[in-house]
Every structure is written in structure tokens, then in C-alpha cells.
Amino acid sequence: MDLGSWTTPLAYVGLASTAYIAYKFISSAAIYLLPSTLIKTHNCSGKNWALVTGATDGIGFGFCEELCSRGFNVILHGRSRTKLEKRRGELQADFPSRKIGIVVLDVCELAAGMNGLAQDVQAILTAHGGDLTVLVNNVGGETSPYTCLDGLSFDSARQTIERNASATLQITRELLPLLVAGERGVILNVSSISAYGMPYISVYSSTKGFINTFTRALEAECKAEKRNVDVIGLTVAEVNTPGHPVPPGLFRPTPRVLASAGLNRVGCGRVMAFAYFPHWIQGLSLDVLPRSFMMKITAERMQALQKETERANKKQ
Ligand SMILES: NC(=O)c1ccc[n+]([C@@H]2O[C@H](COP(=O)([O-])OP(=O)(O)OC[C@H]3O[C@@H](n4cnc5c(N)ncnc54)[C@H](OP(=O)(O)O)[C@@H]3O)[C@@H](O)[C@H]2O)c1
């Protein structure tokens, strides 16, 4: 076979492929240089409100601190009134000019009416003035981490699905009318790199896949309906939080650093984006390396975490 006649076309194919990969890489990395449009678009009047779910700890509280520092009044959602009051006090001390509201709802016990969530939020807005323009769907976590599927109880699996998937869907459904009523709104859905499909956290991992698809579907629906709201899914890898107590470092930021990065992605033009640049770099490995290799490493890490958790539980 004469390969000579193929050399030129193959060179063009190679060049085109390299240019395409370089374009995808650069355009994906470039979003970390774009300025956030959060304040310009979603808090023009400086008196708007943001609601953060799962706000009493971890990334949720980090979002509350960052939103307060960027001029928003904040409504904290949680399941414990005592914890919410404590966190409200801390925020009020750090940001005396902000208004802080609280709403109580256990998202593992959702029922029709949602405990009057929308009415409670509306009452806060009416009492203090301003609109709800930001919803951060952050509440989430695995009820029984590092467990095989058949080791989970019915209730543990149900709670993980409700805490992560149902909570985001039902809270968004309930609050969407308030978000579209005011200045342009934004919904930030906190997802996870585990949506890739990871062993020993299969239920949690699947709920984050749900969040990704829900985010894409809702974004398209809001656009088609010309709703005054942007929808963004934030992919997150490891963060040092009470729910995931790993040592902090460059690839394991503190909740506030992660929250700041997440808010900086508003206006980036993507429906789904890694919130934090070093996590985006980690995410590249999932695109580039073979899945079988990545899952072998992940399974080993999960097994090690499983042993650590067992040891810690025995000590208690
Ligand atoms: N940390 C990570 O490495 C990581 C990685 C990827 C994605 N994420 C995602 O980031 C989000 C926050 O994670 P995190 O690590 O910050 O979690 P966390 O430290 O465990 O905090 C979770 C928050 O949600 C609240 N919450 C839990 N169950 C609830 C319920 N049934 N009803 C109402 N509130 C409830 C908790 O309230 P209490 O204080 O009452 O428990 C707390 O405020 C989650 O969606 C998680 O999937 C985290």
C-alpha cells in the first residue's frame, strides 16, 4: 500500500485534532480568569437576599460568609434551630450591616407543603425588604459513606437520595417563583466529582449525577421559558469540612475558599463547571486516563477511608 498519498490528509487531520483539543482545553481553563457577574447582575441594588441550604456547617456556611462579604443579606437553611441561631449570631457579628434570616426544614423528611418553606422565605423578604436573587442548593452528603450497596439499610439509602437529590429539586421547585419575581436570579447547584460514578458511595454518587442532569434540564427550561434566572452546576472535589474531615491543602480547600471560587463562576457561560481551579486540574485526569485505572485507584482510596472510619468509630 502506498502511504505517501495519505501523508498530507493525515497531517491535516492531526493538526485539526490538535487545534480542537487545544481550543477545548484553553476555553475550559479560561473561565477561571473571567470576572464574576454576581454583584453586577444579581445584587445591583445592594439589598438582595441569597438563600443557602445546609448552611450550618462546611461549604454551606462558607457560602454564607462569602455572600455576606459580597453585599447580600442571607437566609440560612438547616434542620437545627439552635445551630442556625448560633451561626446567625456569628455572621451578624462579622457582618453587622447585613440582615440574616433563618428557615428550618429537615430535608430527609420532606412532605407536601415543605413545612411552609416558601411562606417563611416570603415573610422574611416582606419584613426586611428586597428580593430573593440567589439560591445555593448546597445541602447534601452521604448517610453511610464507604459502604457497599448491599450493606446499606433502606433508610440510609432513602436519606442520601432525599438529602442530595430530592432536597435540591423540591426546594428549587418551591422557591423558583420567588427567584423569578425580582432582579435576575441565579441558582447554584453544588455537585460532586463523584457524579463520574464511584464505588463505595454508589447512592451518593448517583444523586450527584441526578444534580448534573437536573441542572442542565432546568437551565434549558428557564431559557426556553425566558425566565429571569441563570442556573449553574458547580462540580466539587475534596473540601475540608465536618462532613469530609480531610487535612486542608491546595487540592482540599477550606469551605470559604471553595465558596468564593463557586461564586466567581457566576457568569462564566457554562451550565456545569468545576468551582475551583485546582479541582478542574484534578478533573482532567478523569477525562484523560482510562476509567478502569481511575476506578482502581478510587476503590483503593475508598477502602482505606472505610478502614479509617471503622477505626475512628471503634475509638468513640
Ligand atoms: N466536602 C467535600 O469534600 C465535598 C466534595 C464534593 C461535594 N460536596 C458537596 O458539598 C455540599 C456540602 O458538603 P459539606 O462537606 O460542606 O457537608 P457538611 O460539612 O456535612 O455540612 C452539611 C450541611 O447540610 C446540613 N444538613 C445535613 N442533613 C440535613 C438535613 N436532613 N436537613 C437539613 N440540613 C441538613 C448540615 O446540617 P447539620 O449541621 O444539622 O448536620 C450542614 O449544615 C454537599 O452537597 C456535598 O455533597 C462536598
Side-chain angles (χ1 to χ4, degrees), residues 130-188:
D131 293 314
L132 182 70
T133 51
V134 177
L135 169 62
V136 182
N137 281 311
N138 160 78
V139 69
E142 167 64 87
T143 312
S144 313
Y146 322 124
T147 310
C148 290
L149 184 66
D150 55 358
L152 295 174
S153 68
F154 174 87
D155 243 11
S156 170
R158 177 188 65 79
Q159 282 182 14
T160 301
I161 294 169
E162 296 201 340
R163 181 177 289 130
N164 292 275
S166 308
T168 292
L169 183 143
Q170 298 288 12
I171 290 173
T172 307
R173 184 190 57 71
E174 200 76 3
L175 298 184
L176 194 55
L178 293 180
L179 277 163
V180 296
E183 278 175 25
R184 194 162 186 85
V186 63
I187 298 169
L188 293 162

Side-chain angles (χ1 to χ4, degrees), residues 53-61 63 77-80 83-84 104-109 137-142 159 162-164 167-168 189-194 204 207-208 211 234-246 252 255 258 279:
T53 70
T56 51
D57 246 323
I59 297 171
F61 190 66
F63 269 109
H77 156 264
R79 57 183 159 182
S80 155
K83 260 189 167 178
L84 284 164
V104 187
L105 174 69
D106 185 338
V107 296
C108 291
E109 304 298 334
N137 281 311
N138 160 78
V139 69
E142 167 64 87
Q159 282 182 14
E162 296 201 340
R163 181 177 289 130
N164 292 275
T168 292
N189 293 333
V190 176
S191 186
S192 161
I193 197 166
S194 71
Y204 171 76
T207 62
K208 293 304 185 184
I211 295 295
L234 298 172
T235 306
V236 174
E238 286 188 299
V239 181
N240 162 251
T241 68
H244 191 66
V246 287
R252 292 159 164 179
L258 188 282
H279 284 173

Side-chain angles (χ1 to χ4, degrees), residues 212-251:
N212 293 359
T213 305
F214 172 64
T215 301
R216 291 192 181 99
L218 183 65
E219 191 270 345
E221 188 172 297
C222 287
K223 261 203 187 124
E225 287 289 310
K226 300 193 173 36
R227 298 278 180 103
N228 214 12
V229 64
D230 300 319
V231 185
I232 307 171
L234 298 172
T235 306
V236 174
E238 286 188 299
V239 181
N240 162 251
T241 68
H244 191 66
V246 287
L250 175 65
F251 290 101

